[in-house]
Amino acid sequence: FLIGGPPLINFLMDQARVRAWIAGFGAWGPLVLIGMIVAQTVLSISPVSLLAVAGAYVFGFWGGVLYAFIGMGLGSSLNMLLGRRFGRPLVDKLIDPKAIATFDRFTVQRGPIFFLVIFVMPWVPDDLACYAIGLSHLPLKIMAPLAWFGRMPSVIVQAWLTANANVLPPAVIIGVVGGGIVLALLFYRFHRQLEAFV
């Protein structure tokens, strides 16, 4: 957004133009979208998967959820594998070391349940959590499926909002987005108690 400025924002707000751009790839459109979601996940551009939202914008609810599930699952697994294979030198180049250091502390003290809660909560930097998992000794055969399925509730809500943005009253959209922000803040404040409860 900083690079593209208003023209990029205007483009993304025009559903017909976005759909036409992806449709221009023909049968490759879904694969292009999945690849872009994987890249966004690996680069940890945003705690909100903007491209997953765009998928619902273009392909409708079910298509958006499916492509987001594949792209974010592959991206999450790739983050873990990159962290495990190349370790701190690569992760520090991709991610702000201060951000990943926060998860380092949690990883030493926490197990799979803590990260499952992170994956389920909306607007929490779960891409960074995947790198932290890769740097830890947590088993990837358990953590990767947790990431695949744990991230889906928030993606489903985002896709539903996006696919129905033209018909939903603004109050509903504001309420759902506001509720997600409140949940993220509550998680930040009470994550220990929530983990113990789970």
Side-chain angles (χ1 to χ4, degrees), residues 63-83:
V65 168
L66 174 63
Y67 302 141
F69 177 76
I70 296 171
M72 294 178 70
L74 291 174
S76 299
S77 300
L78 185 57
N79 285 6
M80 294 180 196
L81 290 172
L82 288 172

Side-chain angles (χ1 to χ4, degrees), residues 73-144:
L74 291 174
S76 299
S77 300
L78 185 57
N79 285 6
M80 294 180 196
L81 290 172
L82 288 172
R84 184 66 49 92
R85 174 65 180 85
F86 298 103
R88 175 74 61 181
L90 175 65
V91 173
D92 282 348
K93 289 180 180 178
L94 293 172
I95 306 298
D96 180 1
K98 293 180 180 178
I100 204 69
T102 301
F103 281 103
D104 280 343
R105 297 199 311 272
F106 288 126
T107 305
V108 173
Q109 305 167 10
R110 302 283 186 262
I113 295 297
F114 170 77
F115 285 100
L116 174 61
V117 173
I118 282 183
F119 292 137
V120 171
M121 296 303 294
W123 300 317
V124 175
D126 36 20
D127 297 334
L128 303 184
C130 291
Y131 280 115
I133 290 168
L135 295 173
S136 74
H137 297 292
L138 293 169
L140 299 190
K141 63 182 180 181
I142 294 176
M143 302 309 298

Side-chain angles (χ1 to χ4, degrees), residues 8 22 24 33-34 43-44 51 60 62 64-65 79 81-82 85 112 131-132 137 153 162 173 181 189:
L8 175 60
I22 293 182
L33 178 64
I34 290 170
L43 297 175
S44 299
L51 290 168
W62 292 110
V65 168
N79 285 6
L81 290 172
L82 288 172
R85 174 65 180 85
Y131 280 115
H137 297 292
T162 306
I173 297 175
I181 293 172
R189 174 64 180 84

Side-chain angles (χ1 to χ4, degrees), residues 61 156-166 168 172-173 176-177:
F61 173 75
I156 289 171
V157 172
Q158 293 171 30
W160 179 78
L161 283 175
T162 306
N164 296 286
N166 294 336
L168 289 174
V172 173
I173 297 175
V176 173
V177 171

